Amino acid sequence: MYNVKIKNYGNGQVQTRIYSHLIYTGDKEKPEKEELESNPFDDKPTKEVFDFDELEKEKERSLYTSMKRAKGKIYDYSRSNVWDWFVTLTFAPDAVDRYNYTDCTKKLSKWLNNMRRDSETDFKYIVVPERHKDGAFHFHGLFAGCDSLGITYSGHCTKDGEKIYNIGRYKMGFTTATRVKKNEAVTKYITKYTTKDLMEHIKGKKKYWASRNLNLPVETTYSLEDVEKQSLHIELTMDDCLYYKSCMYNVGLTTHNVRYYEHVID
């Protein structure tokens, strides 16, 4: 258990979190398995529902937890690595059914694996899905060490004057690639694609693709007394704190608080 967590992203950036209540880790006692009756039509286990409002709330909590977990992992991977390109990958109608998430992800996974295998450099990536308003899927990613992908200037620029590139070795649809100027900015940008609406449509399926050579932050946790937490708060806010935020959330009927502090170290 802990009430202070420090994340060192390995690039001079450190985030400290101070929790109002203890966070418990480790194995939790599992509830006894519920005896389910058999459905008379197919003989499969089924559960009788008496409170549909509570069932909907349970689904909402599950969806939120899944989204939060995915966003956290994407954020950590994005922030702990240095990126060269922000890319968008789409699928042409004759290449794959763009409305079928499973078909799209099979094609994407195979292409990423092939590019990683054939790369002459240390190709790194984190890729996330986005669902268009019409229901079609496309993907956004951060790439690094990808000199073998045939990235060439398209002849076009963004409205801000940044050059737009294409990925020559991607043959399944349209692509764009722009150079990453600020790692912090693209980290926030790519994380925002993981939404509740998306989670509803890809429930139980893969939510991001990360190459195995990516770094993750080093986490350290502590269990401090209230006086020690307050002293740490004062120390962090006085010591060139770049960012501070305090968030409230409820666990049951109890209101919890977590404070975030951002620092840069040498």
Side-chain angles (χ1 to χ4, degrees):
M1 60 184 181
Y2 63 88
N3 51 25
V4 172
K5 177 184 283 188
I6 299 175
K7 284 189 173 187
N8 188 328
Y9 291 95
N11 50 14
Q13 300 177 14
V14 176
Q15 181 191 86
T16 301
R17 302 179 185 181
I18 299 180
Y19 298 86
S20 59
H21 294 69
L22 285 170
I23 306 297
Y24 291 88
T25 58
D27 295 331
K28 297 181 179 179
E29 186 177 345
K30 295 182 179 179
E32 292 185 11
K33 197 168 184 180
E34 185 178 4
E35 291 292 333
L36 300 178
E37 295 184 1
S38 296
N39 188 316
F41 297 101
D42 56 18
D43 204 35
K44 292 182 179 179
T46 184
K47 180 180 179 180
E48 188 173 0
V49 177
F50 297 97
D51 190 338
F52 285 94
D53 287 339
E54 185 58 34
L55 181 63
E56 286 302 314
K57 290 179 182 177
E58 185 178 330
K59 289 181 179 178
E60 284 288 319
R61 287 193 293 268
S62 176
L63 196 66
Y64 176 77
T65 300
S66 177
M67 180 182 71
K68 186 177 179 181
R69 187 183 300 115
K71 287 175 78 78
K73 205 69 173 180
I74 293 166
Y75 183 88
D76 282 348
Y77 275 127
S78 302
R79 190 169 178 182
S80 300
N81 296 271
V82 178
W83 304 102
D84 299 324
W85 300 94
F86 175 81
V87 306
T88 298
L89 308 171
T90 67
F91 290 99
D94 58 349
V96 67
D97 180 359
R98 298 177 296 171
Y99 301 90
N100 186 313
Y101 188 71
T102 299
D103 289 351
C104 290
T105 56
K106 282 182 179 179
K107 292 281 189 178
L108 174 71
S109 295
K110 184 176 181 180
W111 183 80
L112 288 171
N113 288 336
N114 289 341
M115 295 305 101
R116 179 95 176 96
R117 182 197 62 207
D118 298 342
S119 178
E120 298 173 359
T121 54
D122 191 23
F123 178 35
K124 297 181 178 183
Y125 59 81
I126 173 79
V127 177
V128 301
E130 182 183 14
R131 185 172 180 266
H132 197 265
K133 290 181 180 179
D134 70 352
F137 291 97
H138 59 275
F139 297 81
H140 302 281
L142 298 174
F143 286 3
C146 50
D147 295 344
S148 300
L149 297 189
I151 297 178
T152 56
Y153 177 44
S154 68
H156 301 282
C157 296
T158 67
K159 61 181 180 180
D160 297 323
E162 294 184 51
K163 290 183 177 180
I164 300 174
Y165 296 78
N166 298 135
I167 302 175
R169 294 195 62 187
Y170 186 87
K171 306 296 185 182
M172 294 179 290
F174 183 71
T175 66
T176 62
T178 54
R179 292 191 182 275
V180 172
K181 293 183 177 179
K182 292 184 179 180
N183 242 53
E184 297 86 349
V186 293
T187 291
K188 294 177 181 178
Y189 196 69
I190 199 168
T191 305
K192 78 179 182 68
Y193 290 112
T194 305
T195 63
K196 178 184 172 183
D197 176 72
L198 177 68
M199 293 295 102
E200 290 176 340
H201 287 90
I202 64 173
K203 185 178 179 181
K205 298 180 181 180
K206 195 165 183 175
K207 298 168 180 62
Y208 63 87
W209 286 256
S211 55
R212 295 180 180 178
N213 56 344
L214 294 186
N215 301 318
L216 276 172
V218 176
E219 297 186 0
T220 308
T221 58
Y222 303 93
S223 180
L224 302 183
E225 299 293 335
D226 288 343
V227 174
E228 295 174 306
K229 288 197 296 181
Q230 184 59 25
S231 296
L232 179 60
H233 165 74
I234 294 172
E235 178 184 343
L236 290 171
T237 52
M238 292 179 62
D239 187 23
D240 298 326
C241 184
L242 299 178
Y243 174 82
Y244 169 72
K245 182 179 181 180
S246 178
C247 298
M248 309 294 290
Y249 62 99
N250 292 323
V251 178
L253 299 177
T254 305
T255 300
H256 289 230
N257 169 257
V258 57
R259 291 173 284 181
Y260 297 85
Y261 311 79
E262 298 280 350
H263 292 270
V264 173
I265 60 174
D266 295 329

